[in-house]
Amino acid sequence: MTAPRLKEPQIPSGRTRHNAEKWSWVFMRISGPLLLVLIVTHLFVNLMTGDGINQIDFAFVAGKWASPLWKIWDFVMLVLAMLHGFNGMRLLINDYAHRAGLRKVLHALLGIATVVIIVLGSLVIWTFDPCLGTDPSLVPDFCKDLA
Amino acid sequence: MWMWVVHRVTGVAIFFFLLIHVLDTALVRVSPEAYNDVIGSYKTPIYGLIESGLVAAILLHAFNGLRIIAVDRSTWALRHQKQLVWAVWILFAVLMAPFLWRHLGHVFGGA
Amino acid sequence: MTHHEYDVVIVGAGGAGMRAALESSQRARTAVLTKLYPTRSHTGAAQGGMAAALANVEDDSAEWHVFDTIKGGDYLVDQDAAEILCNEAIDAVLDLEKMGLPFNRTPEGKVDQRRFGGHTRNHGEAAVRRACYSADRTGHMILQTLYQQCIKQEVEFFNEYYVLDLILDGDPQAAAPGEEVAVAGVVALELSTGEIHTFNAKAVIFATGGAGKVFKTTSNAHTLTGDGMGIALNAGLPLEDMEFFQFHPTGLAGLGILLSEAARGEGGILRNSEGERFMERYAPTIKDLAPRDMVARAMANEVREGRGAGPHQDYVLLDLTHLEPAHIDEKLPDITEFARTYLGVEPYTEPVPVYPTAHYAMGGIPTTVQGEVLRNNTDVVKGLYAAGECACVSVHGANRLGTNSLLDINVFGRRAGIAAAEYASGVDAAPAFPEDGDARIRALVDGLLATVGGTGTERVSEIRKALQETMDRNVQVFRDADSLAEATRVVAELKERFTDVAIHDRGKRFNTDLLEAIELGFLLEIAEVVVAGALAREESRGGHYREDFPTRDDERFLHHTMAYATGEGVRLDTKPVVITKYQPMERKY
Amino acid sequence: MTATAESPAVAEVPTLTVTLRILRTKPEGTAEHGPGESYWEEFQVEAHATDRVLDALHKIKWEQDGSLAFRRSCAHGVCGSDAMRINARNRLACKTLLKDLNPAKPIIVEPIKGLPVEKDLIVDMEPFFASYREIMPFLMTTGSAPARERLQSPEDRARFDDTTKCILCAACTTSCPVFWTDGQYFGPQAIVGAHRFIFDSRDEGQWDRLEVLNDKAGVWKCRTAFNCTEACPRGIEVTKAISEVKKVLTTGEI
Ligand SMILES: Cc1cc2nc3c(=O)[nH]c(=O)nc-3n(C[C@H](O)[C@H](O)[C@H](O)COP(=O)(O)OP(=O)(O)OC[C@H]3O[C@@H](n4cnc5c(N)ncnc54)[C@H](O)[C@@H]3O)c2cc1C
Ligand code: HEM
Ligand code: SF4
Ligand code: F3S
Ligand code: FES
């Protein structure tokens, strides 16, 4: 029942220091609108133009990635989406995983997944070989010229 | 409150989809055959529906995200947040309709 | 049972209790026992303001404030106390401001002030702006600010501890004049466990607030059951001037929820069913801003003479419709919301139905200006203090001026806090706490618990309802020998019935059923004292109006009433009024 | 003989029978229910449409079951004692009129969520007050105090007016879905309490408070669910206050 001990108010203190949660919040707000543009365009190009989903195949991807614009586009989208998603999931884990141990495990899994996906995705985008493989019908037309 | 639930659920859904999506796209590094196989299965009606759900989730999450940002930045938006929730749903409906028409047309019409 | 030892124990965490705690906890080991969380105390319901002659907006002086207080109290005020009240008022307000209280401000940034009933310039010339305020939630701000300061000072609270008994080391009535009687501590029930705690203390301050629940229509909280007064009475101490109860003119009709006098201070007008501004007839100079007793009587009179409004012609109307809605929103936001919420009336466009509501106990535990509790006209109980509405220093006399109570709790709360701590530092040890100090309360609690499922036939709520109805009918704005005799009879009968009361909750934890029974016990004792005092006072003065004796009688009754519980009814005695500067005059506004 | 107000406003209102479904918990248990086990119980009371839910609860307590436990004091929405969940929304029982609730259907009354239930509608408020104390809710100043009052313009005074109205009823905090999920969040009330001082031109301890609110359990936990604003019986724009605090933290300017 006794009153709590309060820390003495130290007036004036330095500005706030531990800003992790703040930056996480700001990041969500910056990455969100960017992602909106990136993803909606991505979806539109892939699903709404031309033959929609049916046009998507190896050749389509290779065709897109022949342009550095799309390479950069997809790369930025990948990284931002993963970081945004990572951060969002981290908040969720903080809310729902009450036991410290569980929380550690989930955070670790989340971190690993995020790193793996970003690295993997980046590798795929930057080391993509449009003329991979042997079946000429599957690769884009320009591979024939190269050959 | 319910928009908060929606935002959370859609956020998680998109996240898991993104994991899978990157993995499948990574197959382009393995071989064109493997990639086309997997992508091929996306073109079946079942996946067509799932894909639609995904787009729905992204759109909802995205517009609601904009609403949240607006509410944090402007007093007007804050005081009209309920109307903005309606706006999110209307915008969502307006964009989903043509998309569904076209996408499901592709999926089921086999064009 | 758990036993505690402190230098100072404060009972009550309203404005008076916390103001005392801020002083006392700096100087001595202090515990604050309160039956409610501090922020639930009824000080938070106070609306209009706190008086102090700051002269921030117009000419004013503490001297005029003293005069108004004495005249408002119909010359039953102890004038030495009134001088202290009004002179310390200025610092009391400034102290609160420095603690952070968000007062409304003048354009220059100073504490703003507004008009209030009975506060005048130069001994009655015209209404003066003396009430410092914060919209219509001044009490809320005071309560919050004091609580915040208590948090800062790490005051030790015992929340939801219900004090039931006061332990003295002698019998205050049997002790000879001059003989020492000192306080030993209190006994309390911890609500959340049902456990009984004893507190041994060198000094005890009572700040338990009012007793409005003896009436049916009241602005007071359900929890204002006069516990402190009842406990003092049971311990053999007197209560002073209990027949003086203030009926606030503007309670929401039928509900009693208060609409602050600030409504009239900001320009609101009372009208009868004919639309007439009837206060012009009763108080030509200050009209609607006359003191409360006069306005309440005028209203009741209008209703009696058939000029009441409404389907049953049983209320009058408070008209704010000529005020700008923006002005109302800025100055009176809460009370207008009460009208909307509870009566469905829109004050911008419709007048609000109002009727007098039991509001404030002018009387209480008699104290000196240091807050020391008197056990007779001259002897104090060593180490025992009281402040706030439960005390009677007597700065309010027969009728309190609006805004003087928030002032009272700050000025005399502070004084009691300092005096108690200093007294406690001066004595080596508290008187020993008797072995069986809690026996009486243990028996009371066990006795009531044993009635669960037993043979008791009376319900607490029924007795309480009957009490409140009889008090409303017979001891309200107008009283006479017959109505008071009737009230005497009913109260005695209810006391008898109370011995056969049964409760229904057998649990130990949060047994609010048990507590309501105990509270009813206090209410009955206080009602008895109120009625006895009113019957004996054959004159009309301030809040006490006898239709059979409609004038003030200074010859016979210019004295305080001291009421003692003897075990066989109430014994009444008198105490002289302290008159320093102002000889009684006729009271005209 | 004397004139007393016999409920003029309600005299015309017909009585009706309302059913209250109350979530009860007895720490000592009952014949049918174990200690601390929660169960629903229905009561029927005669009431006026203009009665408050608090009046109905009182009727039950005073006429039917004295063991029903709830807190109340002022009975007109200013003390903050009786926040409870009524028809799935946090409200003050004394500020909720039966007529605004569709009395034709049972009225569901539960304790506020997220704080430990002690008995029936009474919860343990200590965690709530602890969060309040955490944000140092008192004026902090440096230097010696002036002889008279500190000056403050009406405009500066208006900046924090909204948050001074808080009565610490906990309706906001216990309606917040984030507060329910993790229980470490200070909750909206603590932010309201801090806001009241952060935007007070006389205060110099803003950054100490902001530091607390910048913490893991602080403002950043708020996901703008707006339940708090909707629940607040004092009409405080709670989410707005939270958002203003966030703005200060991101821009560094008050
Ligand atoms: C609606 C309303 C409006 C008012 N407006 C004004 C105004 O504008 N200006 C003005 O000057 N005055 C006003 N007053 C009067 C003034 O508010 C009160 O007289 C004053 O606040 C009383 O303060 P207090 O500290 O004595 O008691 P309270 O604030 O009532 O506090 C009593 C305390 O005692 C505790 N307590 C009681 N019994 C026990 C017990 N048995 N054991 C333990 N603790 C106990 C309670 O928990 C509480 O903390 C108003 C009053 C009302 C009802
Ligand atoms: C398309 C554009 C997007 C926008 C505009 C957007 C916007 C936002 C915003 C503003 C938040 C913060 C909400 C808050 O603080 O209350 C957020 C949270 C979140 N986002 Fe996004 N986002 C987008 C895309 C994505 C993507 C692609 C993912 C998945 C990878 C994702 C997953 C999440 C998650 C999991 C949360 C956390 C939800 C919560 O804590 O309740 N978002 N989003
Ligand atoms: S902000 Fe509103 S809901 Fe929250 S505690 Fe204060 S008054 Fe209650
Ligand atoms: S309900 Fe909770 S999430 Fe934020 S807006 Fe209110 S604190
Ligand atoms: S009883 Fe005071 S707020 Fe409801």
Side-chain angles (χ1 to χ4, degrees), chain C residues 277-497:
Chain C
R277 182 177 193 179
F278 59 85
M279 279 313 295
E280 285 177 338
R281 275 189 276 121
Y282 297 88
T285 318
I286 55 177
K287 304 182 182 92
D288 297 276
L289 285 177
R292 291 176 177 170
D293 56 330
M294 299 178 81
V295 182
R297 236 165 9 242
M299 290 167 65
N301 200 47
E302 290 299 299
V303 166
R304 253 199 329 192
E305 293 180 359
R307 291 187 296 276
H312 305 288
Q313 304 195 309
D314 55 0
Y315 53 75
V316 301
L317 297 165
L318 175 64
D319 186 1
L320 301 173
T321 56
H322 54 290
L323 303 179
E324 283 298 316
H327 184 70
I328 294 181
D329 287 349
E330 194 197 327
K331 300 289 173 70
L332 307 166
D334 279 6
I335 58 169
T336 41
E337 194 189 318
F338 297 153
R340 283 181 206 116
T341 308
Y342 296 108
L343 290 185
V345 168
E346 174 49 67
Y348 294 159
T349 54
E350 295 167 82
V352 184
V354 290
Y355 198 76
T357 179
H359 184 57
Y360 185 86
M362 266 75 75
I365 306 168
T367 71
T368 68
V369 293
Q370 307 305 339
E372 300 152 294
V373 171
L374 291 162
R375 67 179 169 88
N376 53 37
N377 288 1
T378 47
D379 294 309
V380 301
V381 178
K382 289 263 178 275
L384 183 60
Y385 300 79
E389 192 169 338
C390 73
C392 180
V393 213
S394 172
V395 286
H396 307 308
N399 170 61
R400 169 177 75 88
L401 287 189
T403 70
N404 264 358
S405 172
L406 290 179
L407 179 57
D408 174 9
I409 61 180
N410 278 288
V411 167
F412 290 99
R414 174 173 167 276
R415 286 180 152 252
I418 296 174
E422 280 175 356
Y423 170 83
S425 324
V427 295
D428 292 339
F433 201 90
E435 259 322 296
D436 60 347
D438 63 334
R440 213 179 66 76
I441 295 310
R442 193 168 292 282
L444 174 73
V445 169
D446 290 346
L448 279 167
L449 282 173
T451 65
V452 181
T455 51
T457 50
E458 296 287 351
R459 264 191 185 270
V460 170
S461 59
E462 277 161 21
I463 298 179
R464 186 176 46 215
K465 193 162 161 238
L467 172 72
Q468 293 170 339
E469 275 170 4
T470 204
M471 292 297 283
D472 260 25
R473 203 169 325 108
N474 299 310
V475 200
Q476 224 214 14
V477 177
F478 296 116
R479 308 160 170 184
D480 66 20
D482 292 340
S483 75
L484 292 168
E486 167 71 5
T488 311
R489 188 187 62 73
V490 175
V491 172
E493 188 185 296
L494 292 174
K495 274 191 102 166
E496 186 56 40
R497 278 172 65 187

Side-chain angles (χ1 to χ4, degrees), chain A residues 115-138:
Chain A
V115 171
V116 166
I117 294 291
I118 291 181
V119 169
L120 181 69
S122 316
L123 280 176
V124 170
I125 294 173
W126 295 116
T127 67
F128 178 67
D129 173 2
C131 305
L132 178 78
T134 46
D135 185 344
S137 69
L138 295 177

Side-chain angles (χ1 to χ4, degrees), chain C residues 235-263:
Chain C
L237 299 172
L239 293 181
E240 180 176 344
D241 288 345
M242 290 299 287
E243 64 270 32
F244 294 103
F245 214 96
Q246 178 165 79
F247 298 91
H248 192 292
T250 52
L252 280 186
L255 292 166
I257 296 172
L258 194 77
L259 300 188
S260 170
E261 198 166 299

Side-chain angles (χ1 to χ4, degrees), chain B residues 33-108:
Chain B
E33 290 84 355
Y35 181 72
N36 286 356
D37 268 4
V38 172
I39 287 298
S41 65
Y42 281 7
K43 297 171 187 171
T44 62
I46 298 271
Y47 276 94
L49 287 175
I50 293 180
E51 183 96 359
S52 307
L54 178 77
V55 171
I58 290 178
L59 289 181
L60 259 183
H61 184 96
F63 295 142
N64 190 51
L66 293 185
R67 175 185 142 268
I68 294 172
I69 294 169
V71 156
D72 274 325
R73 296 190 67 91
S74 114
T75 307
W76 181 89
L78 190 125
R79 296 210 168 123
H80 295 82
Q81 63 97 7
K82 281 200 174 144
Q83 287 91 320
L84 287 178
V85 169
W86 284 108
V88 166
W89 284 101
I90 291 169
L91 197 59
F92 167 72
V94 166
L95 287 180
M96 268 315 271
F99 167 78
L100 282 181
W101 179 72
R102 195 168 157 80
H103 182 69
L104 294 183
H106 284 143
V107 171
F108 290 101

